[in-house]
């Protein structure tokens, strides 16, 4: 049987070396609990969460991470009270307005993963501006999963493939994992090597279900507003202690034999 094409060379490179994993994805969770523990409104947790995001982007650049994906608003987060949804939209707008120039100066390339459906025109244009301004930057790629749901993403990719088959552009036999991946919001971005979730929850909550097929997972009790460079480095150290086999045999044993 032909070898399965995943993992890509970047995943293998980050498995072998002691450097940073090429792609780190983070489920930034625990803002509400951080605020509740201090008797503060949830909004304050979200505001401090944006500061943690800034710190994490800086740390990712310093550590040589190539891709950082952050889960900032899920397709299910619309179920929250209207005021909280509006606060989260407001923080995203503020983040782009305040930080875009700085990200651009630091060669960060911004990609948005998610559907634009249901978003205000103002947010849609800010998201497009962030992507188009930074499109040619060669530094860290920051993938912001916003209004993101992995099942919706996969369903949309399946629909795109169905349309291509119906239009006679491709044959049904050309529907491979690569063809589907090329129609995900994350097309062109290598699969995450490491997925971190803060706040102690141990679930994916509809995040990167396809892309994380062979990711390593680190769940930390740290609440997102407290996340810092040390917490990131500790997750990366745990990643390096893992033995990624991708269904094969241990590379480590092979290397030492
Ligand atoms: C993460 O923190 C931020 C978003 C999901 C937008 P939460 O708001 O989920 O915080 P907890 O889980 O209630 O503590
Ligand atoms: C996942 O966190 C979404 C983001 C971090 C943006 P949630 O707090 O929404 O997840 P659940 O509801 O606890 O699964
Ligand atoms: Mg939560």
């Amino acid at each position: 049987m032909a070898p399965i094409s995943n993992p890509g060379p970047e995943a293998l490179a980050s498995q072998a070396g002691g450097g940073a994993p090429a792609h780190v994805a983070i489920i930034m969770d625990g803002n509400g609990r951080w605020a509740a523990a201090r008797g503060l409104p949830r909004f304050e947790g979200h505001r401090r969460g944006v500061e943690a995001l800034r710190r994490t982007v800086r740390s990712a650049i310093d550590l040589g991470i190539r891709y950082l994906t952050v889960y900032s608003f899920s397709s299910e987060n619309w179920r929250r009270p209207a005021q909280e949804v509006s606060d989260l939209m407001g923080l995203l707008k503020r983040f782009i307005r305040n930080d875009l120039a700085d990200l651009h100066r630091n060669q960060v390339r911004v990609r948005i993963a998610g559907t634009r459906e249901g978003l205000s025109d103002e947010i849609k244009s800010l998201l497009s501006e962030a992507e188009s301004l930074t499109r040619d930057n060669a530094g860290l790629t920051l993938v912001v999963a916003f209004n993101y749901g992995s099942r919706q993403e996969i369903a949309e990719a399946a629909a795109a493939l169905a349309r291509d088959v119906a239009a006679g552009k491709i044959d049904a036999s050309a529907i491979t994992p690569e063809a589907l991946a090329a129609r995900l919001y994350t097309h062109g971005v290598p699969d995450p090597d490491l997925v971190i979730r803060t706040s102690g929850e141990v679930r994916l909550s509809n995040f990167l279900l396809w892309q994380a097929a062979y990711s390593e997972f680190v769940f930390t009790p740290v609440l997102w507003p407290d996340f810092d460079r040390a917490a990131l480095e500790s997750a990366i150290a745990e990643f390096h202690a893992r033995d990624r086999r991708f269904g094969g045999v241990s590379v480590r044993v092979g290397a030492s034999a």
Side-chain angles (χ1 to χ4, degrees), residues 29-30 33 80:
D29 198 14
R33 279 162 284 169
R80 296 190 177 196

Side-chain angles (χ1 to χ4, degrees), residues 111-255:
R111 282 269 303 264
I112 310 298
T115 174
R116 306 288 158 107
E117 236 168 79
L119 299 178
S120 70
D121 288 343
E122 192 187 7
I123 291 208
K124 281 191 270 196
S125 77
L126 279 169
L127 296 179
S128 302
E129 185 193 338
E131 285 188 314
S132 59
L133 177 71
T134 62
R135 189 182 309 275
D136 298 323
N137 287 345
L140 173 78
T141 297
L142 175 64
V143 182
V144 182
F146 184 79
N147 201 17
Y148 175 88
S150 194
R151 286 183 166 179
Q152 291 86 331
E153 174 185 40
I154 294 167
E156 279 182 36
L161 286 166
R163 280 194 299 273
D164 286 351
V165 172
K169 288 191 205 160
I170 61 166
D171 191 80
S173 64
I175 299 178
T176 57
E178 291 73 23
L180 193 141
R183 287 159 178 85
L184 296 174
Y185 305 135
T186 53
H187 58 89
V189 174
D191 289 341
D193 300 290
L194 168 63
V195 176
I196 300 169
R197 183 169 188 151
T198 59
S199 88
E201 304 299 351
V202 185
R203 55 174 170 264
L204 278 176
S205 303
N206 207 8
F207 186 54
L208 304 181
L209 301 181
W210 174 282
Q211 298 89 335
Y214 269 103
S215 301
E216 295 298 326
F217 291 87
V218 170
F219 298 97
T220 167
V222 172
L223 299 173
W224 178 249
D226 290 328
F227 196 82
D228 58 9
R229 183 177 170 134
L232 178 60
E233 284 180 328
S234 140
I236 291 173
E238 200 171 326
F239 167 82
H240 282 304
R242 305 275 177 87
D243 185 10
R244 300 183 85 189
R245 290 189 287 277
F246 299 102
V249 290
S250 176
V251 173
R252 292 176 183 205
V253 172

Side-chain angles (χ1 to χ4, degrees), residues 24-190:
V24 176
I26 308 182
I27 303 173
M28 309 183 291
D29 198 14
N31 295 350
R33 279 162 284 169
W34 184 93
R38 288 160 181 78
L40 297 168
R42 289 178 65 85
F43 174 77
E44 193 53 25
H46 294 315
R47 199 184 64 73
R48 294 290 290 263
V50 176
E51 289 175 19
L53 173 60
R54 282 193 190 104
R55 276 200 299 277
T56 303
V57 169
R58 266 197 305 274
S59 305
I61 295 171
D62 289 350
L63 295 171
I65 291 166
R66 300 297 306 152
Y67 297 85
L68 176 69
T69 297
V70 291
Y71 202 7
S72 62
F73 190 86
S74 78
S75 39
E76 288 74 34
N77 286 148
W78 293 104
R79 294 178 187 155
R80 296 190 177 196
Q83 183 58 55
E84 181 164 351
V85 169
S86 147
D87 287 345
L88 290 166
M89 296 291 152
L91 283 171
L92 176 86
K93 285 191 263 183
R94 227 189 292 169
F95 176 69
I96 296 179
R97 292 209 178 97
N98 292 341
D99 290 55
L100 184 59
D102 199 41
L103 291 169
H104 187 43
R105 248 195 314 280
N106 284 294
Q107 282 295 307
V108 175
R109 180 167 63 130
V110 179
R111 282 269 303 264
I112 310 298
T115 174
R116 306 288 158 107
E117 236 168 79
L119 299 178
S120 70
D121 288 343
E122 192 187 7
I123 291 208
K124 281 191 270 196
S125 77
L126 279 169
L127 296 179
S128 302
E129 185 193 338
E131 285 188 314
S132 59
L133 177 71
T134 62
R135 189 182 309 275
D136 298 323
N137 287 345
L140 173 78
T141 297
L142 175 64
V143 182
V144 182
F146 184 79
N147 201 17
Y148 175 88
S150 194
R151 286 183 166 179
Q152 291 86 331
E153 174 185 40
I154 294 167
E156 279 182 36
L161 286 166
R163 280 194 299 273
D164 286 351
V165 172
K169 288 191 205 160
I170 61 166
D171 191 80
S173 64
I175 299 178
T176 57
E178 291 73 23
L180 193 141
R183 287 159 178 85
L184 296 174
Y185 305 135
T186 53
H187 58 89
V189 174

